[in-house]
């Protein structure tokens, strides 16, 4: 991917506006006919702390940050130590620093990048009202070979709602920044020449337009497409944006969002909304999911469809709220007490949040079950330029009885395990939903027969469902398989490309359906594989343990696992896949 | 006579698990009467409860019902009502369910003022788990092995809490006066907003002395919308005054609305 992709980071302390600059750059990339991914990294301050916008831009869709950072534009040195691990500089990287901001910190120097000094702040001050983030933007845009007019369009789109004056000043500052790039280029021509040879304007004829959105917004849209019309919300990083997006969108389609007093309330409100016949969801992260599990068990027992999107962050406890991890897998799979079969899905990247969001609602409604949809901070709070994805044509359907069904049995024991669910308002079918074990009629029961029948039917409906091909995304062939889920999918795919370029055939299997595990399908997908690399971002290898406990691997199994907050890089996977003595073999 | 709205039709054929003489029998009877009197059809009622002896009540009505988990009846009921404003929503449970494990939801349900009726069967004990102190037990009630010297903390004052939390309808009834209990439930259902009916409902098994409630209750309150007056009444309350305490006509909760948009219009926001 080397030639067709480049990565850069913009850092600065609070108020410097590097996130805005990054956003505009990503927008400009989309307008230039490119794709891109931007991750924001924030310090622990609530507001105003230092921040980093880390971008990767390319000629093909980008769903990984790659191994190196080509260019770092540091507006100042704030608390750069905090991000140093997340910005992989090496001797081929170029750092642009402002000489007026003091010495280049040792953490940067230690990585031996080339350093070019540009008086960023002083340049900004040449424009009355000019801001330093626009100088940084101009530098980055010029080095990337972006057309000034395209960046100007992106500035207009981003800042236009403030005032024309702000836009004009920004454009002037942008030009000063772009001008400064010439000197930098002459200092480090080999790196500074970043252009992907694609500064052609986007084919904007109104027919083919790219989308720029975060994973959390994509989840919101996917869920909305699935037919959710009721959401109860309790804010938590990094899931809040799912809820905020839905707060804006739901009322437009006749739906409603309520802010609850806590997650015990939000999940019960969702159960109530769904019981009342309206497809319902909430979004949360680890601590919130912990509070919800008792009610998720109720939804299993009372057979209430609903979706909880859990955007994973570093845990346990409050952990690292602003950083990504995949350590909520265990609670999603096994957090409910009793025998409580349910469904766990995972989106594979930002674009896939659209599909997996919609699919999760369809699964919940079809099987009358809670679905926990996993995403993670690296996907949820990142922004990407993507090819638009149309809604899946599949309809969301809930099985309901007809009114006045004689001897209506809410929990009838059926072959499929799914029983028609009456909706309040329907005549002649009134019943009481219950978390107590019950007879087919819904009456509380402690009879062994009823317990066995109901346990069987609740398990059967989940096992017997036809999940089609959506259970996993599989690409490639070869004797090595990279088996993963969530935001590591993009990283694994990039590692696979590197391996293939070295003549090592490899296949990537990204599970979208984590529970129930499609063991037969997985067996087929692994046919001919000699070595399986199980890739996950957590400390205790939860994914590996789950797979091993559920599936008989015929191949050698190697673990590639590491906790957050530093993202796993493609190179780590390449190394683990090829080295004989790395990792934990079975 | 119109048999459709006969209270009998509002009772399910499930036999209650309650002990003979339990106050809760009167509550299901009063609810059936109130719904019949108000001519609300069974299928248009959603009756939500938590866990406890009293919470079993949902299944004893022939309406739609949800017997959920301990302490969470109020949010579940709020979810039903906000999602389906056309339904009549009732929530019910015990003092432990509502004021202990569900205490936070109680505060916020009062504030939120979703149009529904909450009936608390208060027996100052955890009946279902066989007789532990509840949040309304007296500090020196020594009847439980768990707190043999009494809970030693003062009981919560549910009506004061409700008023402080901005409840828009607050009343108290006694299971021994079925007519007044029915009247209050009817009034509460008709009230637009969150209504609390606090019912003194004796537990004859773990608090047999509560059989004496009948000699202590007195019909006292007539509705006021003056908050100060309502608080004043509670300061003078011996715990056995009954009647409608407080009614505030403030509008019930409604979620935000917006001009309708098609999915294509919503998606257009993402296009560059
Ligand atoms: C989470 C949880 N904790 C504890 C219990 C056990 N439990 C069941 S009912 C109950 C108390 C019931 O008391 P109250 O709500 O006052 O109702 P009553 O039985 O007196 O009518 C308790 C503690 C439970 N079911 N769930
Ligand atoms: S234990 Fe008390 S509250 Fe429970 S049913 Fe018996 S009398 Fe009623």
């Amino acid at each position: 991917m080397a030639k067709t992709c480049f990565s850069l980071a913009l850092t600065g302390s609070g108020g410097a506006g590097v996130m805005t600059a990054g956003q505009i750059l990503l927008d400009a990339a989309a307008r230039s006919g490119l794709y891109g991914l931007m991750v924001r990294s924030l310090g622990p301050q609530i507001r105003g702390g230092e921040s980093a916008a880390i971008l990767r831009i390319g000629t093909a869709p980008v769903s990984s940050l790659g191994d190196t950072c080509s260019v770092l534009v540091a507006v100042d040195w704030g608390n750069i130590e905090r991000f140093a691990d997340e910005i992989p500089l090496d001797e081929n990287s170029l750092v642009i620093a402002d000489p007026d901001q003091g010495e280049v910190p040792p953490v940067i120097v230690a990585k031996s990048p080339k350093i070019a000094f540009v008086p960023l702040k002083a340049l900004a001050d040449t424009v009355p009202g000019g801001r330093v983030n626009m100088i940084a933007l101009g530098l980055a845009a010029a080095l990337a070979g972006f057309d000034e007019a395209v960046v100007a369009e992106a500035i207009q789109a981003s800042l236009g709602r403030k005032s024309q004056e702000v836009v004009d000043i920004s454009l002037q500052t942008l030009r000063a920044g772009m001008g400064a790039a010439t000197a930098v280029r002459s200092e480090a021509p080999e790196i500074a020449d970043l252009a992907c040879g694609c500064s052609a304007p986007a084919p904007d004829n109104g027919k083919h337009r790219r989308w720029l959105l975060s994973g959390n917004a994509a989840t919101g849209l996917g869920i909305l497409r699935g037919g959710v019309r009721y959401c109860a919300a309790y804010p938590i990083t990094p899931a809040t944006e799912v809820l905020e997006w839905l707060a804006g969108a739901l009322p437009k389609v006749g739906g409603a969002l309520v802010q609850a007093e806590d997650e015990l309330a939000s999940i019960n409100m969702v159960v109530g909304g769904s019981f009342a016949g309206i497809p319902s969801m909430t979004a949360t992260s680890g601590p919130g999911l912990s509070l919800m599990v008792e009610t998720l068990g109720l939804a299993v027992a009372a057979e209430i469809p609903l979706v909880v999107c859990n955007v994973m962050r570093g845990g346990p406890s409050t952990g690292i709220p602003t950083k990504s991890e995949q350590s909520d897998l265990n609670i999603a799979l096994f957090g409910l007490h009793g025998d409580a079969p349910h469904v766990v899905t995972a989106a594979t990247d930002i674009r896939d949040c659209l599909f997996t969001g919609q699919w999760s609602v369809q699964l919940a409604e079809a099987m009358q079950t809670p679905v926990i949809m996993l995403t993670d901070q690296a996907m949820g709070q990142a922004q990407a330029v993507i090819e638009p994805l149309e809604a899946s044509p599949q309809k969301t359907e809930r099985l309901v009885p007809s009114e006045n069904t004689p001897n209506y049995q809410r929990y009838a024991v059926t072959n499929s395990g799914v029983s028609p669910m009456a909706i309040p308002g329907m005549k002649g079918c009134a019943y009481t939903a219950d978390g107590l074990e019950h007879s087919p009629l819904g009456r509380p029961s402690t009879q062994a027969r009823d317990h066995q029948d109901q346990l069987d039917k609740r398990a059967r409906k989940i096992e017997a469902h036809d999940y089609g091909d959506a259970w996993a995304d599989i690409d490639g062939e070869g004797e090595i398989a990279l088996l993963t889920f969530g935001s590591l999918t993009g990283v694994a795919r990039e590692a696979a490309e590197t391996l293939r370029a070295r003549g090592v055939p490899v296949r990537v299997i990204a599970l979208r359906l984590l529970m129930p595990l499609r063991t037969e399908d997985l067996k087929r997908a692994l046919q001919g594989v000699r070595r399986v690399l199980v890739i996950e971002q957590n400390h205790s290898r939860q994914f590996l343990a789950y797979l091993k406990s559920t599936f008989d691997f015929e191949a050698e199994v190697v673990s590639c696992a590491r906790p957050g907050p530093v993202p796993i890089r493609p190179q780590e996977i390449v190394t683990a896949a090829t080295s004989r003595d790395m990792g934990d073999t079975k | 006579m119109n048999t459709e709205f006969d209270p009998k039709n509002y009772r399910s054929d499930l036999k209650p698990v309650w002990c003979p003489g339990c106050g809760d029998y009167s509550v299901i009877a009063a609810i059936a009467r109130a719904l019949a009197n108000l001519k609300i059809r069974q299928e248009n009622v959603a009756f939500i409860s938590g866990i406890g002896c009293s919470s079993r009540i949902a299944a004893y009505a022939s309406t739609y019902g949800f017997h959920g988990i301990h302490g969470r009846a109020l949010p579940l009921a709020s979810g039903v009502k906000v999602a389906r404003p056309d339904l009549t929503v009732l929530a019910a449970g015990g003092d432990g369910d509502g004021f202990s494990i569900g205490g936070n939801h109680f505060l916020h349900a009062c504030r939120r003022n979703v149009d529904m009726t909450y009936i608390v069967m208060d027996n100052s004990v955890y009946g279902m788990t066989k007789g532990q102190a509840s949040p309304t037990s007296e500090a020196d009630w020594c009847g439980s092995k768990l707190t043999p010297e009494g809970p030693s903390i003062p009981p919560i004052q549910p009506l004061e809490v409700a008023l402080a939390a901005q409840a828009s309808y607050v009343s108290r009834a006694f299971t021994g006066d079925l007519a007044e209990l029915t009247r209050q439930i009817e009034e509460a259902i008709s009230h637009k907003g969150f209504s609390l009916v606090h019912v003194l409902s004796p537990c004859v098994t773990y608090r047999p002395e509560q059989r004496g409630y009948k000699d202590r209750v007195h019909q006292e309150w007539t509705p006021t919308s003056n908050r100060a007056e309502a608080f004043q009444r509670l300061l003078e309350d011996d715990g056995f005054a009954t009647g409608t305490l407080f009614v505030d006509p403030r509008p019930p909760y409604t979620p935000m609305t917006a001009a309708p948009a098609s999915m294509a219009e919503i998606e257009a926001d993402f296009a560059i």
Side-chain angles (χ1 to χ4, degrees):
Chain A
M1 276 199 162
K3 274 270 155 53
T4 53
C5 229
F6 68 88
S7 56
L8 84 163
L10 307 170
T11 62
S13 41
V18 294
M19 298 314 299
T20 308
Q23 184 86 41
I24 293 171
L25 201 59
L26 194 60
D27 187 330
R31 288 168 200 271
S32 306
L34 300 172
Y35 296 89
L37 177 70
M38 179 176 107
V39 170
R40 51 188 194 139
S41 183
L42 305 173
Q45 284 86 347
I46 305 302
R47 218 199 143 108
E50 62 285 350
S51 53
I54 304 168
L55 288 93
R56 192 142 181 255
I57 289 171
T59 48
V62 184
S63 61
S64 145
L65 286 176
D67 285 303
T68 55
C69 177
S70 311
V71 177
L72 163 65
V73 185
V75 163
D76 57 56
W77 293 115
N79 285 307
I80 191 75
E81 316 76 44
R82 294 223 171 94
F83 305 120
D85 285 342
E86 290 170 56
I87 303 172
L89 301 171
D90 58 25
E91 56 284 359
N92 294 317
S93 309
L94 171 67
V95 171
I96 299 176
D98 188 335
D100 300 330
Q101 296 296 325
E103 301 255 307
V104 178
V107 281
I108 299 295
V109 175
K111 296 181 178 179
S112 338
K114 299 204 171 51
I115 297 174
F117 288 100
V118 178
L120 304 167
K121 184 78 182 69
L123 266 176
D125 289 343
T126 61
V127 179
R131 296 190 60 205
V132 70
N133 64 339
M134 289 298 129
I135 297 290
L137 172 64
L139 267 166
L143 291 175
F146 284 1
D147 196 34
E148 185 190 312
V150 175
V151 186
E153 256 179 53
I155 288 182
Q156 184 73 46
S158 165
L159 304 176
R161 70 197 132 75
K162 291 195 174 168
S163 74
Q164 196 50 45
E165 198 195 346
V166 170
V167 172
D168 291 342
I169 293 171
S170 299
L171 290 177
Q172 230 183 313
T173 323
L174 173 81
R175 263 173 242 131
M178 291 187 96
T182 319
V184 173
R185 228 190 221 113
S186 65
E187 254 179 76
E190 59 303 347
I191 309 167
D193 193 17
L194 289 168
C196 320
C198 32
S199 41
D204 187 7
N205 49 17
K207 272 195 212 130
H208 184 87
R209 298 179 70 183
R210 297 230 163 101
W211 283 3
L212 195 168
L213 79 183
S214 71
N216 280 344
T219 298
L221 177 55
I223 294 275
L224 201 68
R225 284 174 166 181
V228 161
R229 292 297 178 266
Y230 179 68
C231 173
Y234 193 76
I236 186 167
T237 305
T240 307
E241 298 87 4
V242 177
L243 303 165
E244 287 176 340
W245 190 85
L246 284 167
L250 276 170
K252 295 181 186 163
V253 293
L257 177 137
V258 176
Q259 181 173 336
E261 55 270 28
D262 55 30
E263 288 88 348
L264 301 165
S266 59
I267 188 65
N268 277 280
M269 288 176 171
V270 165
V271 168
S274 179
F275 165 74
I278 309 296
S280 301
M281 75 86 63
T282 185
T284 190
S285 190
L289 185 62
S290 301
L291 288 182
M292 291 180 185
V293 290
E294 188 195 7
T295 304
L296 289 173
L298 172 67
V300 169
E303 304 201 41
I304 304 296
L306 59 87
V307 176
V308 175
C309 173
N310 186 66
V311 186
M312 294 182 282
R313 65 191 220 181
S317 190
T318 312
I320 312 181
T322 52
K323 307 283 174 178
S324 203
E325 210 166 66
Q326 296 181 316
S327 46
D328 291 348
L329 179 62
N330 274 351
I331 186 179
L333 296 171
F334 308 120
L336 316 192
H337 69 267
D339 290 315
H342 61 284
V343 174
V344 181
T345 60
T348 57
D349 61 22
I350 291 179
R351 186 166 187 255
D352 188 58
C353 289
L354 295 165
F355 176 80
T356 300
Q358 184 180 359
W359 192 50
S360 298
V361 182
Q362 289 165 350
L363 295 178
E365 293 287 322
M367 288 178 269
Q368 300 173 20
T369 184
V371 173
I372 300 174
M373 168 179 166
L374 294 176
T375 68
D376 52 43
Q377 188 274 339
M379 184 189 302
Q381 292 193 320
Q383 311 247 355
V385 180
I386 62 164
E387 208 55 52
L389 182 71
E390 299 234 325
S392 144
Q394 184 161 343
K395 287 224 163 49
T396 299
E397 274 166 325
R398 189 189 290 190
L399 186 66
V400 294
S402 38
E403 289 199 328
N404 297 312
T405 297
N407 306 317
Y408 171 65
Q409 297 189 331
R410 165 62 185 107
Y411 300 109
V413 178
T414 59
N415 283 338
S416 68
V418 178
S419 330
M421 179 176 179
I423 305 301
M426 292 179 70
K427 289 193 182 67
C429 301
Y431 74 100
T432 299
D434 211 321
L436 280 173
E437 190 56 283
H438 37 255
S439 69
L441 264 175
R443 298 187 162 185
S445 168
T446 55
Q447 303 282 310
R449 179 65 199 270
D450 284 329
H451 191 39
Q452 182 76 48
D453 283 353
Q454 295 294 319
L455 285 169
D456 284 346
K457 97 182 254 300
R458 293 192 292 254
R460 189 159 66 237
K461 67 180 182 181
I462 308 268
E463 277 304 324
H465 186 81
D466 179 7
Y467 296 91
D469 290 336
W471 69 279
D473 276 350
I474 305 169
D475 60 72
E477 279 299 325
E479 294 187 342
I480 296 180
L482 309 181
L483 183 52
T484 193
F485 74 102
S487 67
L488 285 181
T489 304
V491 188
R493 285 188 184 140
E494 187 160 341
E497 276 180 44
T498 307
L499 287 165
R500 286 173 196 142
R502 290 189 197 163
V504 183
V506 46
R507 62 185 87 171
V508 178
I509 303 169
L511 295 192
R512 186 180 286 109
L513 183 68
L514 295 172
M515 196 155 86
L517 190 67
R518 298 279 83 190
T519 47
E520 285 307 311
D521 291 325
L522 183 57
K523 199 169 171 184
R524 233 168 288 131
L526 286 172
Q527 222 134 55
V529 167
R530 283 195 305 113
R531 180 175 244 218
V532 184
L533 196 65
V534 176
I535 306 160
E536 60 190 308
Q537 184 140 37
N538 62 65
H539 187 258
S540 59
R541 304 176 180 189
Q542 300 178 10
F543 189 41
L544 179 73
Y546 171 56
L547 292 170
K548 279 188 170 179
S549 70
T550 319
F551 183 75
D552 288 325
F553 281 102
E554 283 164 16
E556 173 195 21
V557 182
V558 181
S559 168
C560 176
R562 185 160 61 62
V566 178
I568 291 179
R569 305 279 173 194
Q571 193 52 48
E572 291 175 69
I573 296 175
V574 170
T575 308
T578 47
S579 94
R580 277 283 142 200
D581 41 36
M582 263 249 353
D584 173 49
T585 60
K586 137 176 123 148
Chain B
M1 184 182 156
N2 185 345
T3 54
E4 190 186 2
F5 296 112
D6 182 336
K8 282 206 244 23
N9 295 340
Y10 289 82
R11 302 284 297 270
S12 73
D13 52 6
L14 204 57
K15 189 174 169 297
V17 293
W18 296 322
C19 312
C22 175
D24 299 347
Y25 285 101
S26 303
V27 180
I28 185 64
I31 289 171
R33 287 185 186 197
L35 290 171
N37 291 347
L38 293 170
K39 298 192 164 37
I40 303 172
R41 300 180 56 96
Q42 289 94 319
E43 67 267 16
N44 296 330
V45 177
F47 190 4
I48 317 300
S49 66
I51 296 293
C53 298
S54 43
S55 291
R56 289 288 187 127
I57 197 167
Y60 305 148
S62 61
T63 63
Y64 280 88
F66 205 131
H67 183 221
I69 57 171
H70 194 26
R72 317 293 165 215
L74 285 175
L76 207 157
S78 309
V80 173
K81 183 66 185 184
V82 174
R84 287 283 305 280
D86 58 304
L87 298 172
T88 296
V89 178
L90 308 180
D95 43 302
D97 194 73
F99 307 142
S100 190
I101 191 167
N104 192 38
H105 306 310
F106 177 56
L107 296 181
H108 296 281
C110 291
R111 286 176 60 219
R112 198 174 280 120
N113 204 33
V114 169
D115 182 14
M116 61 188 195
T117 295
Y118 183 35
I119 301 163
V120 180
M121 287 154 267
D122 189 347
N123 53 13
S124 300
V125 75
Y126 286 2
M128 179 122 275
T129 47
K130 307 206 182 311
Q132 298 78 23
S134 90
T136 57
S137 298
E138 304 80 341
D140 58 356
W141 177 71
C142 302
S144 162
K145 279 189 217 158
L146 204 53
T147 51
E149 299 187 344
S152 308
I153 50 175
I156 202 166
Q157 302 299 330
L159 304 194
E160 287 179 34
V161 173
L163 275 186
Q166 313 295 315
S168 64
Y169 175 100
V170 181
S171 71
R172 187 192 282 143
F174 169 52
T175 51
D177 184 347
L178 190 56
E180 172 63 8
L181 178 58
T182 307
R183 185 198 72 76
Q184 286 184 23
I185 293 173
E186 271 180 51
E187 188 176 70
I189 292 173
S190 307
H191 172 75
K192 294 270 163 269
F194 180 78
S195 45
L196 170 70
V197 180
H198 180 225
V199 185
L200 301 174
S201 183
C203 172
V204 293
T205 301
Y206 296 107
R207 303 291 312 255
E209 73 280 13
Q210 289 177 348
R211 288 182 190 272
Y213 276 5
K214 61 179 183 315
D215 305 318
R216 300 179 66 181
V217 294
H218 45 103
Q219 185 71 15
E220 184 88 28
W221 299 327
T222 52
T224 175
S225 53
N226 182 324
R227 182 173 297 277
E229 191 186 332
F231 269 114
Q232 189 58 43
R233 289 175 180 180
L234 290 177
L235 292 176
E236 291 158 8
D237 177 31
D238 61 355
F240 293 94
T242 58
T244 306
L245 174 69
F246 179 70
V247 183
D248 179 355
R250 80 181 165 103
Y253 175 88
T254 49
M256 197 180 86
T257 56
S262 68
M263 286 300 284
E265 286 166 323
I266 291 171
E267 292 172 3
D269 276 353
F270 294 130
I272 290 293

